[in-house]
Amino acid sequence: MHGLSENEIKQRTLRFLKSYYRYRQREGATTLSSDMRGAGGVIADGYLSFPKVGGEIFHATFEATSLATKDEVRYTILKGRLHWDGIAVASLAAAITLIAGNLEGWFTFKKITYAGCIGVVVIAFMLCFILFISLVGNWRRYRYIYAVEQFKQYFVDEQWIAIGEDVFANYYDDPYYVELRKQCIRHGFGLIVVRENGHPIMQITPSRNDLFQSRRRRLRFFSQAELARFTKEGNYPEWLRKFNATSFLRFKGRYTYQAIVLAISLAMIIGVFVLESQKEEIVIEEEPEYLDRMAKALVFNTRPENMQDSSFVVDTPYVWPPPILRANDTRPYVDLAPQPPVADAPPAATTAKRRRQPDFLLASPQGEPLAVYDCSRLRNAAGAFFVLQEGVYDSYSEAESRVLDLSRYGLECSALWLGCFRGGDDGYIVFFGPLYEKQEEARQALSAYETQLGDNVLGIRMDIRSLSLNPSE
């Protein structure tokens, strides 16, 4: 037995199909052809057509394979598709690993440095890539059969694969034949085994329903005579110029979706690196360390060689070190001053009035005890200035209590005696932040504080208030 050639398989298959379709209803004669060509590198070894009832044309094609061309029906692993899928999956897994670890605080520049984060991405990518290749390398998705893939490129009513009986070693457990049979069943293609002595054996009949749900294109096929005429006239279509019938891998497809996944993964990784590079280092101190550092700073600043010249005027109530009075020791500033000689003392009414209007200002830099100053500290604040008023209180003790309450929530606030200002009275104003020279600065600060308060569960109300010093100050 010398085996069947491809031409012999074509002729026997055409006769078999003519006999197979002879009972189909039709309104005309059957047309048989071989070696047809279509756009995109499609080759139909055999072609059969006839007009159905109603005028529509029925088309059937087949791929003939002999022992010499057995690679047309034996699967090969698409390593390109496998590797691209692995790259896409591994890059996405590496991006997710980096993002999850960054959110948990494991993979940050501070903990493992910039190079360490790159190392995490590379290691995660390589491990996932190798694991993916090992686990899915034998999936059907990567088993490429040329004859099956070519049938996927175009639509006709029925498609057949015709193979010589000597193409496979056996038709029971040969892995290449088993895979060919599975793919024919899955996609609805017919399968015929052509024997050298005897009639062809039909293994699988093609599905009469389009299992691709009309996703394939319809092609016009041209005979060898038509192609020869095109070539002679020089009027052949563009696809014929690029026609390549020698490569069995010409239908392996592109990797567009894998490239998109790779691009998204890289964008995610780059985004994490950009955000990490913009982070500012946050130092969290425990209370003992903070107090120790403050004590050392106080000792350093009170040394004679480090103290500032006291001859210049400070125009802010915030100075270092502050003249601290404990909260339970605070009292009006005038009570701390030495008493003038009796002969030069002002009238009793004036003295009484002075004591009813204690001449001081209190401030609370965040995290420090209350400090008390006199109104003269504000004498360089020329003209009007603005504050973010929280409220006005009748007595010093009420203002002090409110300042301490707000300070417990981390809000920087101070209090001023309104008697220091033009048109003021004996009340005390509690306000947030410093004194602002411009109203626009106060508006911006008000917006910032409102953002900081968020839902404002404390029910704090802030208003911009203008203050001017008394001429005497």
Side-chain angles (χ1 to χ4, degrees):
M1 184 174 65
H2 66 280
L4 294 170
S5 67
E6 186 168 318
N7 284 331
E8 290 174 321
I9 294 174
K10 292 177 186 178
Q11 296 302 320
R12 295 191 183 194
T13 303
L14 283 172
R15 289 196 296 269
F16 171 82
L17 293 180
K18 184 178 181 180
S19 174
Y20 177 80
Y21 289 115
R22 69 181 182 274
Y23 297 115
R24 291 280 183 95
Q25 293 184 347
R26 68 192 69 204
E27 293 183 346
T30 300
T31 301
L32 301 175
S33 303
S34 61
D35 296 325
M36 306 289 284
R37 298 291 186 268
V42 172
I43 300 174
D45 289 338
Y47 177 86
L48 177 147
S49 66
F50 57 83
K52 296 189 291 185
V53 176
E56 186 179 354
I57 304 298
F58 174 89
H59 302 276
T61 59
F62 68 85
E63 177 71 26
T65 301
S66 65
L67 181 62
T69 58
K70 63 182 179 180
D71 289 338
E72 293 178 344
V73 293
R74 294 167 66 94
Y75 73 82
T76 183
I77 300 297
L78 282 180
K79 293 184 178 180
R81 178 182 294 176
L82 177 63
H83 291 165
W84 267 102
D85 285 356
I87 290 172
V89 171
S91 62
L92 186 60
I96 293 175
T97 301
L98 178 64
I99 292 174
N102 187 268
L103 292 176
E104 292 293 332
W106 303 331
F107 307 141
T108 63
F109 287 0
K110 182 179 179 181
K111 278 200 172 182
I112 61 174
T113 72
Y114 178 86
C117 290
I118 294 179
V120 167
V121 173
V122 173
I123 292 173
F125 176 87
M126 294 302 299
L127 289 177
C128 292
F129 180 81
I130 294 172
L131 183 63
F132 182 87
I133 296 297
S134 303
L135 292 178
V136 308
N138 202 35
W139 282 10
R140 180 184 298 139
R141 169 179 171 80
Y142 308 108
R143 294 185 176 185
Y144 173 93
I145 299 177
Y146 163 78
V148 173
E149 294 299 324
Q150 181 171 234
F151 281 165
K152 292 180 182 179
Q153 305 305 310
Y154 67 94
F155 169 81
V156 291
D157 296 278
E158 294 184 3
Q159 294 163 304
W160 300 79
I161 294 177
I163 57 176
E165 62 179 339
D166 55 349
V167 169
F168 296 105
N170 63 70
Y171 290 86
Y172 302 101
D173 56 1
D174 187 301
Y176 292 103
Y177 173 76
V178 171
E179 182 62 28
L180 175 63
R181 182 182 178 89
K182 287 181 178 180
Q183 293 201 22
C184 286
I185 294 173
R186 182 185 181 192
H187 300 297
F189 304 145
L191 180 62
I192 304 171
V193 175
V194 180
R195 297 184 296 173
E196 183 176 4
N197 300 311
H199 294 289
I201 301 174
M202 183 170 58
Q203 300 283 340
I204 304 170
T205 59
S207 171
R208 295 196 178 187
N209 298 319
D210 182 13
L211 301 184
F212 293 88
Q213 299 179 353
S214 302
R215 293 193 300 268
R216 297 179 297 172
R217 56 180 175 165
R218 294 179 180 269
L219 295 181
R220 181 187 174 189
F221 286 93
F222 298 90
S223 65
Q224 295 295 324
E226 290 176 303
L227 295 177
R229 190 180 75 250
F230 288 151
T231 303
K232 182 178 180 180
E233 297 175 353
N235 187 25
Y236 40 84
E238 182 63 26
W239 62 265
L240 189 57
R241 301 174 188 269
K242 302 177 181 179
F243 198 89
N244 179 15
T246 60
S247 175
F248 287 161
L249 294 176
R250 61 182 182 272
F251 303 118
K252 62 183 179 181
R254 299 180 180 179
Y255 310 115
T256 304
Y257 296 111
Q258 294 90 331
I260 292 174
V261 173
L262 175 61
I264 293 173
S265 302
L266 290 176
M268 294 165 62
I269 294 171
I270 293 173
V272 172
F273 276 80
V274 170
L275 292 177
E276 274 294 304
S277 65
Q278 294 176 348
K279 284 184 179 178
E280 296 182 359
E281 185 175 0
I282 300 176
V283 179
I284 301 177
E285 285 186 322
E286 298 294 336
E287 185 176 2
E289 288 80 4
Y290 172 77
L291 295 177
D292 182 62
R293 184 168 61 85
M294 290 295 99
K296 291 179 180 179
L298 179 60
V299 171
F300 176 82
N301 285 282
T302 53
R303 292 175 182 171
E305 63 272 20
N306 298 326
M307 294 183 67
Q308 298 183 16
D309 185 3
S310 59
S311 61
F312 64 88
V313 178
V314 179
D315 60 352
T316 174
Y318 301 113
V319 293
W320 185 267
I324 296 175
L325 293 177
R326 298 299 178 186
N328 55 358
D329 293 335
T330 55
R331 58 188 182 275
Y333 183 86
V334 294
D335 292 343
L336 302 178
Q339 297 297 324
V342 176
D344 297 331
T350 305
T351 303
K353 182 179 180 182
R354 188 67 171 174
R355 290 185 179 275
R356 284 195 305 269
Q357 298 179 350
D359 200 19
F360 71 85
L361 164 149
L362 68 90
S364 175
Q366 189 173 357
E368 300 292 342
L370 292 180
V372 178
Y373 306 91
D374 68 332
C375 293
S376 63
R377 285 300 182 101
L378 300 172
R379 62 177 176 265
N380 288 337
F385 54 88
F386 303 89
V387 296
L388 301 182
Q389 174 181 297
E390 187 272 335
V392 178
Y393 299 87
D394 293 334
S395 64
Y396 169 79
S397 59
E398 291 179 2
E400 177 191 35
S401 176
R402 184 57 173 167
V403 169
L404 292 174
D405 288 342
L406 294 174
S407 299
R408 292 190 187 99
Y409 293 99
L411 299 172
E412 181 182 337
C413 56
S414 307
L416 291 173
W417 178 50
L418 291 175
C420 296
F421 305 99
R422 185 178 303 167
D425 50 28
D426 289 338
Y428 300 86
I429 179 174
V430 174
F431 64 96
F432 294 99
L435 309 179
Y436 301 99
E437 296 181 355
K438 299 180 180 179
Q439 189 174 10
E440 182 59 31
E441 295 177 351
R443 289 198 187 97
Q444 295 176 359
L446 176 62
S447 177
Y449 271 100
E450 289 175 344
T451 301
Q452 180 182 354
L453 291 175
D455 294 336
N456 194 11
V457 295
L458 300 178
I460 296 173
R461 179 179 177 181
M462 286 181 286
D463 300 296
I464 299 175
R465 179 167 180 173
S466 174
L467 297 173
S468 300
L469 289 174
N470 284 323
S472 60
E473 301 297 338

